[in-house]
Amino acid sequence: LRSRVGALAKTHGRLTEDNWSRTSLSALLRQELTDVYGDKAVACNGPDIRMTAQTALAFSMALHEMAANAMHYGALSVAGGHIDLTWHVEKACFGPDGTPTEAGDNPTEWLIFDWKETGGPAINPDRTPGFGTRLIDASINTSLNGRIERFWDADGLRYYFRLPLKLITGG
């Protein structure tokens, strides 16, 4: 609980510096990941996007929980574990169930994230989701109107998620 409140306080501090307008995605990722775990443990690569204050708060909570899970159960729980986080913008169409549809169906711009853990211990995909996992899902799926998928690859957990760019940037 203390680390969750601390993460929120850091994000509030960043938003206050930016006068509660848009804030930098890259700066938020650096604050939540590389400044905490180091650039040898976490690599972030993607374009800088200016996020609204509201989406930055929801996103930072999800990000913090993903990192906390990696620290307790995944790649960051062992020496030599690593997280690669990449993101990009793409145009795509998705149906109401989240499955891709034909490109001619009025494509929308999406912010696509790929969080890939390597070098951590084997993860049991059948374990009961805890509070952090439920918070990640609520932040991504509900607060940010996105979709998240988890893959338990042989070399570590992978989160793949997309967020509507228009909602994230407020534009």
Side-chain angles (χ1 to χ4, degrees), residues 37-76:
Y37 302 103
D39 17 352
K40 288 186 180 181
V42 180
C44 296
N45 189 16
D48 197 21
I49 305 287
R50 302 293 291 178
M51 306 176 78
T52 68
Q54 184 177 358
T55 59
L57 283 172
F59 185 72
S60 69
M61 285 304 296
L63 194 64
H64 176 76
E65 290 304 324
M66 292 163 73
N69 285 347
M71 189 177 70
H72 293 300
Y73 313 109
L76 299 179

Side-chain angles (χ1 to χ4, degrees), residues 88-152:
H88 66 277
V89 175
E90 74 178 41
K91 279 192 172 185
C93 296
F94 297 96
D97 62 352
T99 58
T101 62
E102 293 300 316
D105 295 335
N106 194 19
T108 302
E109 285 188 300
W110 295 87
L111 188 53
I112 309 293
F113 288 89
D114 194 359
W115 166 292
K116 179 119 178 76
E117 297 182 31
T118 55
I123 298 172
N124 177 6
D126 297 326
R127 73 180 193 87
T128 304
F131 175 77
T133 300
R134 291 190 305 272
L135 182 60
I136 293 166
D137 290 346
S139 295
I140 299 296
N141 296 332
T142 305
S143 298
L144 298 171
N145 201 23
R147 287 278 190 188
I148 188 166
E149 297 176 80
R150 287 175 188 78
F151 303 95
W152 286 268

Side-chain angles (χ1 to χ4, degrees), residues 74-83 116-122 154-157:
L76 299 179
S77 70
V78 296
H82 187 77
I83 297 172
K116 179 119 178 76
E117 297 182 31
T118 55
D155 56 347
L157 178 62

